[in-house]
Amino acid sequence: MQANQPSHGDRTQPTPGKPKKDVEFGYPWPESLLSWLGLHAVFYVLENGFQILLAYATTASLTPLFLWAFASEWVNSSVFLYWLALFVLTYILSLSEYFAVSTMVDLLADSDWIFPPSIRFSSHKRDQLRRRRADTTETVDTDTDHKEAEQQQQQQQHEGVDEHGASRFDYSHRQYLRNHLLFTARWAIPIAVGSVIWIPRFHLVHNPPVWMIPLKVQLSLIFADLAYWVVHYSQHRWRWVYKWTDHTYHHTFQYPWGSAGTWLGTWDLMLSALSLGSVNVFLIEMMFGRISLFEYVLMMNYVFEMVCVDHSGSQLPFWSGCPYLPPLGYLLGFDKSIALHEAHHNFNRYSYGLLGVGDWLAGTRMYPAEYPGPHPKGKQF
């Protein structure tokens, strides 16, 4: 990125229905309305096609095993064996689903040959830090005393950069693949524990009407957002909760990537899994009655997608926050959840939810006052 380019905050995301000719930040949507609509349709089909096929493949593979576990005399001869069998199967389910979704989001958010670099918040922020570091180096006299050097080092530490002005939390310095595998395996444990409670209630060979699936998916996202907002706001509202849940660890990733959304302290992990994988399922069952295994897997897939895209640091063009009715998501501003959560990680306050519903209701859907650019800062929007 050239030094004379506008900063991250000076860039505005193109509004659906108003294609921009010169896009400095965001996806370069075409000028032609037909091309613009066609490209949105392609993203719509690819996003939902991937999620539906993944859910179908996983459900088709594991349903016979669940049926065997429920019918097996050996498994049902002991309470321990029964719950162990269900846990192993739900763990495989949770592990495979989250790993597939998070890996795909990371791939899409960070591969230049898929989407242009202009969609990235994090890289723009890192470039700002590098430029600031370069400017500081040029202006500092060679005889800078020890005190000034120490202050400069403290500032770098506060900004999350190394001595070269680069982010300390970049992929190349964090052994990404190993950590991704280990944290995915760790995240799948509490999700699987919650699943064990619900699996016996699910329809394994019967699916409710197809038209209800989009509604259940959207409500699942909203309920997950509301439940997570309560947990996350409590962590930032009361310092002892912040420390007790070790939420500090998650915020060491000042410029996170998709899979880092579940890189959490132990108690933070438990509470997040409860809010994102159990509370929403309970509320859906309260409203609609028993759901099918396919519906559960599909709902969790989209929840995983929401978690990952919000931490991806990239304004991914397929994310609207309303998978089956994107115009509604754009109208309600759900697509801004990525930028808002990126700002939350940059400045450690405001925007505590993952979709924006909880923040809108509580009046915390805002950018910090220090956030650069023309965004509405320090007030609800």
Side-chain angles (χ1 to χ4, degrees), residues 14-28:
T15 304
K18 297 180 180 179
K20 300 288 185 180
K21 182 177 181 179
D22 298 317
V23 177
E24 294 174 332
F25 170 73
Y27 188 79

Side-chain angles (χ1 to χ4, degrees), residues 80-290:
F80 173 76
L81 289 176
Y82 176 78
W83 290 111
L84 178 62
L86 289 187
F87 174 77
V88 170
L89 292 176
T90 54
Y91 183 76
I92 294 172
L93 171 67
S94 304
L95 181 68
S96 57
E97 293 296 293
Y98 181 76
F99 184 79
V101 172
S102 58
T103 302
M104 180 61 71
V105 171
D106 278 342
L107 176 66
L108 295 175
D110 289 278
S111 296
D112 291 344
W113 54 275
I114 299 178
F115 292 129
S118 60
I119 70 169
R120 298 186 194 136
F121 295 106
S122 296
S123 60
H124 297 157
K125 196 68 178 179
R126 290 183 182 118
D127 282 343
Q128 286 185 35
L129 296 174
R130 289 190 181 97
R131 289 198 300 272
R132 191 182 309 167
R133 168 61 179 164
D135 294 341
T136 303
T137 303
E138 291 175 359
T139 56
V140 171
D141 188 80
T142 55
D143 296 327
T144 302
D145 59 26
H146 177 73
K147 184 177 180 180
E148 289 178 328
E150 185 177 358
Q151 290 176 345
Q152 188 179 50
Q153 185 177 7
Q154 291 175 351
Q155 179 67 15
Q156 292 170 0
Q157 184 177 5
H158 173 72
E159 293 175 338
V161 297
D162 60 18
E163 66 273 18
H164 303 295
S167 170
R168 294 197 307 270
F169 309 115
D170 210 345
Y171 285 90
S172 58
H173 303 295
R174 299 290 293 182
Q175 297 181 317
Y176 165 73
L177 181 59
R178 186 196 68 177
N179 286 342
H180 181 30
L181 289 170
L182 292 176
F183 276 98
T184 298
R186 184 170 173 264
W187 165 253
I189 294 174
I191 293 292
V193 171
S195 301
V196 166
I197 300 173
W198 302 110
I199 289 294
R201 292 183 47 80
F202 293 158
H203 294 293
L204 295 179
V205 294
H206 168 70
N207 282 308
V210 175
W211 67 267
M212 296 182 66
I213 293 179
L215 179 60
K216 292 178 181 178
V217 166
Q218 191 60 48
L219 288 175
S220 175
L221 290 173
I222 293 174
F223 292 152
D225 172 75
L226 292 172
Y228 183 74
W229 184 93
V230 172
V231 172
H232 199 189
Y233 176 79
S234 300
Q235 291 173 318
H236 286 267
R237 177 66 177 82
W238 293 288
R239 192 66 183 173
W240 68 270
V241 179
Y242 192 92
K243 292 183 177 180
W244 170 65
T245 58
D246 194 20
H247 194 56
T248 306
Y249 175 71
H250 185 59
H251 272 280
T252 59
F253 303 99
Q254 192 176 2
Y255 309 106
W257 48 87
S259 56
T262 55
W263 294 23
L264 306 164
T266 302
W267 286 108
D268 199 2
L269 181 78
M270 301 298 180
L271 291 173
S272 297
L274 175 66
S275 60
L276 297 172
S278 288
V279 173
N280 53 337
V281 178
F282 171 75
L283 293 174
I284 292 295
E285 283 218 332
M286 288 286 289
M287 293 182 65
F288 298 98
R290 294 175 62 188

Side-chain angles (χ1 to χ4, degrees), residues 28-77:
W29 298 101
E31 288 188 71
S32 168
L33 180 60
L34 287 178
S35 299
W36 183 86
L37 291 173
L39 193 54
H40 268 287
V42 170
F43 288 146
Y44 177 85
V45 171
L46 291 177
E47 177 193 13
N48 294 301
F50 171 80
Q51 293 286 34
I52 292 171
L53 288 176
L54 179 61
Y56 178 80
T58 308
T59 304
S61 301
L62 291 178
T63 294
L65 296 177
F66 280 117
L67 291 173
W68 167 81
F70 291 136
S72 171
E73 293 184 4
W74 176 74
V75 171
N76 287 273
S77 64

Side-chain angles (χ1 to χ4, degrees), residues 303-370:
V303 170
F304 293 157
E305 180 184 352
M306 176 175 67
V307 172
C308 292
V309 298
D310 273 11
H311 290 85
S312 68
S314 300
Q315 190 61 51
L316 294 165
F318 57 81
W319 175 250
S320 66
C322 190
Y324 293 101
L325 192 59
L328 181 61
Y330 291 123
L331 178 65
L332 297 175
F334 290 167
D335 60 308
K336 294 180 175 62
S337 63
I338 304 177
L340 287 165
H341 204 75
E342 172 73 11
H344 172 80
H345 270 266
N346 295 160
F347 296 96
N348 204 15
R349 62 183 182 277
Y350 300 138
S351 303
Y352 304 106
L354 294 171
L355 192 63
V357 178
D359 285 304
W360 180 78
L361 292 173
T364 55
R365 188 176 185 266
M366 61 183 75
Y367 293 96
E370 304 92 329

